[in-house]
Amino acid sequence: MSDFFKKIDDADEIRQGDVIRKTDARTGSVIALGVVITADCDIAQEKAGGRYNWVEILPMRTYIEGPWATEQLRRLAKKRSKQVLDHLAGHIRRNLPGISPITHESLIEWLRTKSPEEVIESVSGAIPGPGDKQLRDLKIFNLATATNGAQGAFERLRSAWDLAGTSQEDQRNQIGNALKDGGGFQDYFVLPELPNMDGVGFVAVLRSMGTIMSHELFLTERDARIAGQSSEFHRLGRLSDGVRFSITQKLAFLFSRIGMPTTYESACEAACELVIDECFNNKVAV
């Protein structure tokens, strides 16, 4: 047995750290996968009201190609937005006076009906060349914000990386760096493997929580079948104490953080920039 799991008997009561699964009775495919996070004391003292709270677990590949890639595209769009909008606004001021400024949202809408080449030609009056930097930036922005194409989030992210000149090695490193050290930032937790589950690499998505009634969760898959409830949740095993405590610790940190207003964050950034300027502009006596 892996060091990540704790040995339990099939008859043991449900406790925090239990990995649970729901499958399709006809196909056997996994419908939902998660880990119980309700505190042991609440379960033992029946303070949970017959409910168990659980956090969703996804296969690592599903997480990378879905939620993680989607978040990277959002950040990429935000990063490229200003320079793209500034470039287009310059052409509009020179060639199309009186036209309302383009915003992040209106540019997304425009790109749903026009190609990046057509957008630039509309405001500049010239067809951009294939090596044009502004065209490349607009294509990256388009890939980062497109939602009506056949490509999935990870495919669009890879295409955007390729356009930006990011090598395949750097692309792999970005993914690896995001998932190293047990989950990086505190909104997901990496699990190398799970009890009684094929494959390696899973992610507990800490922002994705659910509630299940005690009568909907069976101690084993066999118990669910005997009860004629093969499609209900059943327990696969239990994570070790170190792993389950780490998950709940990250969960507590995630939802106990105090967000500061954007004015405060902007003021901090401005103060830092001023101090950095002073450091570099201060001539050192020789």
Side-chain angles (χ1 to χ4, degrees):
M1 175 173 288
S2 170
D3 293 338
F4 309 125
F5 315 139
K6 189 174 184 178
K7 183 175 177 57
I8 59 172
D9 294 328
D10 287 347
D12 286 353
E13 294 297 320
I14 299 295
R15 287 292 182 264
Q16 184 186 83
D18 283 359
V19 177
I20 59 176
R21 178 179 66 183
K22 188 179 216 181
T23 58
D24 186 298
R26 294 180 297 102
T27 64
S29 60
V30 177
I31 298 174
L33 188 64
V35 57
V36 175
I37 58 170
T38 301
D40 285 346
C41 59
D42 286 346
I43 297 174
Q45 297 175 23
E46 299 182 347
K47 292 183 178 179
R51 296 179 174 85
Y52 299 115
N53 294 318
W54 61 285
V55 164
E56 183 180 22
I57 295 175
L58 295 175
M60 189 178 290
R61 179 172 178 177
T62 301
Y63 179 77
I64 290 171
E65 294 182 346
W68 184 82
T70 300
E71 174 60 16
Q72 301 313 303
L73 288 171
R74 185 193 67 79
R75 294 182 183 183
L76 187 58
K78 183 178 179 181
K79 179 180 178 181
R80 299 278 174 172
S81 180
K82 186 178 186 306
Q83 57 197 51
V84 168
L85 291 174
D86 286 348
H87 174 73
L88 295 177
H91 282 299
I92 290 174
R93 284 194 299 271
R94 290 190 297 270
N95 304 322
L96 301 168
I99 299 296
S100 300
I102 301 176
T103 64
H104 181 98
E105 291 72 21
S106 63
L107 181 56
I108 293 174
E109 289 296 323
W110 198 0
L111 287 167
R112 286 179 178 172
T113 57
K114 298 293 183 181
S115 69
E117 290 86 352
E118 291 172 327
V119 168
I120 291 180
E121 184 182 3
S122 297
V123 298
S124 68
I127 300 174
D132 186 86
K133 178 183 181 301
Q134 303 304 330
L135 175 61
R136 183 199 66 189
D137 289 343
L138 186 55
K139 284 183 175 181
I140 292 173
F141 178 86
N142 188 35
L143 283 166
T145 57
T147 57
N148 56 352
Q151 285 186 313
F154 188 66
E155 291 175 294
R156 289 189 286 118
L157 180 61
R158 288 286 309 275
S159 297
W161 277 341
D162 290 341
L163 270 176
T166 305
S167 68
Q168 187 172 106
E169 181 181 359
D170 285 342
Q171 294 178 26
R172 293 172 62 91
N173 287 338
Q174 286 195 46
I175 298 172
N177 290 335
L179 298 175
K180 71 179 182 180
D181 298 329
F185 184 67
Q186 316 290 331
D187 57 358
Y188 54 89
F189 189 94
V190 173
L191 296 163
E193 53 184 324
L194 290 178
N196 299 308
M197 278 287 293
D198 294 331
V200 296
F202 298 87
V203 173
V205 187
L206 303 185
R207 294 185 187 275
S208 180
M209 292 186 289
T211 300
I212 182 175
M213 299 302 298
S214 57
H215 67 268
E216 298 173 321
L217 175 56
F218 291 85
L219 297 178
T220 67
E221 187 174 12
R222 182 183 64 251
D223 290 339
R225 289 176 178 173
I226 291 174
Q229 301 292 327
S230 299
S231 293
E232 294 292 356
F233 274 101
H234 58 269
R235 179 173 61 192
L236 295 176
R238 182 172 297 165
L239 299 176
S240 67
D241 288 346
V243 174
R244 70 184 178 104
F245 291 152
S246 293
I247 291 175
T248 54
Q249 182 184 52
K250 282 196 170 187
L251 191 65
F253 175 81
L254 174 65
F255 289 101
S256 65
R257 290 182 304 141
I258 300 174
M260 299 301 289
T262 55
T263 51
Y264 172 82
E265 295 176 353
S266 299
C268 288
E269 290 178 5
C272 289
E273 290 177 3
L274 287 172
V275 172
I276 291 170
D277 287 341
E278 289 176 1
C279 290
F280 279 88
N281 292 330
N282 185 29
K283 294 183 179 180
V284 179
V286 180

